[in-house]
Amino acid sequence: MRTQHPPQTTAYTIMEEMGNAVLADFIQSITTTRFSSHYFIDLFRSHFSVEYERMLQVYHEYADDNHRNTKISNAIGRHLGNHQIGLRIEKIGIEHSKNINGTMSKASVWRKIM
Protein backbone atom coordinates (compact mmCIF):
# COMPACT_ATOMS: atom_id res chain seq x y z
CA MET A 1 0.00 0.00 0.00
CA ARG A 2 1.34 3.44 -0.95
CA THR A 3 1.70 6.04 1.73
CA GLN A 4 -0.32 9.17 1.09
CA HIS A 5 1.64 12.33 1.77
CA PRO A 6 -0.24 15.45 2.73
CA PRO A 7 -0.46 17.96 -0.10
CA GLN A 8 2.22 20.63 -0.14
CA THR A 9 1.04 23.99 1.16
CA THR A 10 1.15 26.70 -1.48
CA ALA A 11 -0.42 30.11 -1.87
CA TYR A 12 -3.07 28.40 -4.01
CA THR A 13 -3.90 25.81 -1.33
CA ILE A 14 -4.18 28.59 1.26
CA MET A 15 -6.76 30.26 -1.00
CA GLU A 16 -8.55 26.90 -1.22
CA GLU A 17 -8.54 26.61 2.60
CA MET A 18 -10.13 30.04 2.88
CA GLY A 19 -13.02 28.86 0.74
CA ASN A 20 -14.98 30.47 -2.03
CA ALA A 21 -17.72 31.71 0.30
CA VAL A 22 -15.29 33.90 2.29
CA LEU A 23 -13.58 35.15 -0.85
CA ALA A 24 -16.87 35.78 -2.68
CA ASP A 25 -18.16 37.84 0.25
CA PHE A 26 -14.91 39.80 0.25
CA ILE A 27 -15.18 40.40 -3.50
CA GLN A 28 -18.78 41.58 -3.13
CA SER A 29 -17.60 44.09 -0.50
CA ILE A 30 -15.27 45.73 -3.05
CA THR A 31 -16.87 49.07 -3.88
CA THR A 32 -16.34 48.85 -7.64
CA THR A 33 -18.02 46.35 -9.97
CA ARG A 34 -14.88 46.10 -12.14
CA PHE A 35 -11.39 45.47 -10.76
CA SER A 36 -8.00 44.16 -11.81
CA SER A 37 -6.10 41.27 -10.29
CA HIS A 38 -3.48 43.78 -9.10
CA TYR A 39 -6.15 45.79 -7.28
CA PHE A 40 -7.61 42.62 -5.77
CA ILE A 41 -4.19 41.47 -4.54
CA ASP A 42 -3.55 44.83 -2.85
CA LEU A 43 -6.90 44.61 -1.06
CA PHE A 44 -6.42 40.93 -0.25
CA ARG A 45 -2.99 41.57 1.26
CA SER A 46 -4.31 44.20 3.66
CA HIS A 47 -7.63 42.51 4.52
CA PHE A 48 -6.27 38.98 4.88
CA SER A 49 -2.87 39.86 6.32
CA VAL A 50 -2.58 36.63 8.34
CA GLU A 51 -3.19 34.48 5.27
CA TYR A 52 -0.84 36.60 3.17
CA GLU A 53 1.87 36.21 5.81
CA ARG A 54 1.37 32.43 5.64
CA MET A 55 1.83 32.64 1.88
CA LEU A 56 5.08 34.58 2.34
CA GLN A 57 6.31 31.91 4.75
CA VAL A 58 5.49 29.15 2.25
CA TYR A 59 7.96 30.72 -0.18
CA HIS A 60 10.62 31.59 2.41
CA GLU A 61 13.30 29.87 0.31
CA TYR A 62 13.10 32.77 -2.14
CA ALA A 63 15.28 35.48 -0.62
CA ASP A 64 14.04 38.02 -3.14
CA ASP A 65 10.75 39.61 -2.00
CA ASN A 66 9.80 40.46 -5.58
CA HIS A 67 10.06 36.81 -6.62
CA ARG A 68 8.03 35.72 -3.59
CA ASN A 69 5.33 38.33 -4.29
CA THR A 70 5.18 37.25 -7.92
CA LYS A 71 4.69 33.59 -6.96
CA ILE A 72 1.87 34.56 -4.60
CA SER A 73 0.26 36.94 -7.10
CA ASN A 74 0.29 34.27 -9.80
CA ALA A 75 -1.38 31.79 -7.44
CA ILE A 76 -4.05 34.29 -6.43
CA GLY A 77 -4.75 35.17 -10.06
CA ARG A 78 -4.92 31.49 -10.99
CA HIS A 79 -7.38 30.90 -8.15
CA LEU A 80 -9.61 33.75 -9.35
CA GLY A 81 -9.61 32.30 -12.84
CA ASN A 82 -10.28 28.73 -11.75
CA HIS A 83 -13.12 29.69 -9.41
CA GLN A 84 -14.95 32.42 -11.32
CA ILE A 85 -18.38 30.87 -10.87
CA GLY A 86 -18.04 30.27 -7.12
CA LEU A 87 -16.53 33.72 -6.62
CA ARG A 88 -19.29 35.36 -8.70
CA ILE A 89 -16.88 37.09 -11.08
CA GLU A 90 -16.10 36.92 -14.77
CA LYS A 91 -12.98 37.85 -16.66
CA ILE A 92 -13.62 40.71 -19.06
CA GLY A 93 -10.16 41.57 -20.29
CA ILE A 94 -6.56 42.40 -19.57
CA GLU A 95 -4.93 45.71 -18.70
CA HIS A 96 -1.51 46.99 -17.77
CA SER A 97 -1.23 48.29 -14.23
CA LYS A 98 1.25 48.52 -11.40
CA ASN A 99 1.74 45.20 -9.63
CA ILE A 100 2.64 44.48 -6.02
CA ASN A 101 6.33 44.93 -6.83
CA GLY A 102 5.71 48.42 -8.19
CA THR A 103 6.32 47.58 -11.84
CA MET A 104 3.88 47.67 -14.74
CA SER A 105 2.62 44.30 -15.93
CA LYS A 106 -0.48 42.65 -17.38
CA ALA A 107 -3.40 41.96 -15.08
CA SER A 108 -6.72 40.28 -15.66
CA VAL A 109 -9.76 42.50 -15.30
CA TRP A 110 -12.80 41.08 -13.51
CA ARG A 111 -16.42 42.08 -13.20
CA LYS A 112 -18.59 41.14 -10.26
CA ILE A 113 -21.70 39.15 -11.08
CA MET A 114 -24.51 40.32 -8.87
Side-chain angles (χ1 to χ4, degrees):
M1 181 183 286
R2 289 178 74 170
T3 303
Q4 290 284 340
H5 297 287
Q8 179 182 359
T9 301
T10 64
Y12 191 91
T13 63
I14 292 170
M15 296 286 288
E16 293 274 313
E17 288 171 12
M18 293 175 71
N20 282 343
V22 168
L23 294 169
D25 287 347
F26 174 66
I27 288 168
Q28 293 305 313
S29 75
I30 296 173
T31 57
T32 62
T33 57
R34 179 187 174 280
F35 60 93
S36 73
S37 292
H38 292 160
Y39 181 74
F40 176 82
I41 290 164
D42 284 341
L43 293 177
F44 178 92
R45 188 170 66 150
S46 61
H47 188 79
F48 295 106
S49 58
V50 171
E51 290 81 0
Y52 196 84
E53 184 61 36
R54 276 187 66 209
M55 292 175 182
L56 288 171
Q57 291 171 4
V58 165
Y59 300 108
H60 69 276
E61 72 272 10
Y62 299 106
D64 179 19
D65 287 343
N66 288 347
H67 189 78
R68 203 174 345 183
N69 285 331
T70 299
K71 295 275 291 177
I72 294 167
S73 297
N74 288 343
I76 291 172
R78 193 168 55 255
H79 190 280
L80 293 176
N82 289 344
H83 296 276
Q84 292 180 59
I85 294 171
L87 296 175
R88 298 181 303 211
I89 58 174
E90 65 180 345
K91 185 175 177 179
I92 59 172
I94 294 178
E95 69 181 19
H96 279 81
S97 60
K98 197 174 284 192
N99 63 32
I100 196 167
N101 294 323
T103 59
M104 296 296 285
S105 64
K106 290 181 184 177
S108 294
V109 179
W110 307 95
R111 179 177 53 198
K112 293 192 284 187
I113 301 170
M114 303 297 181

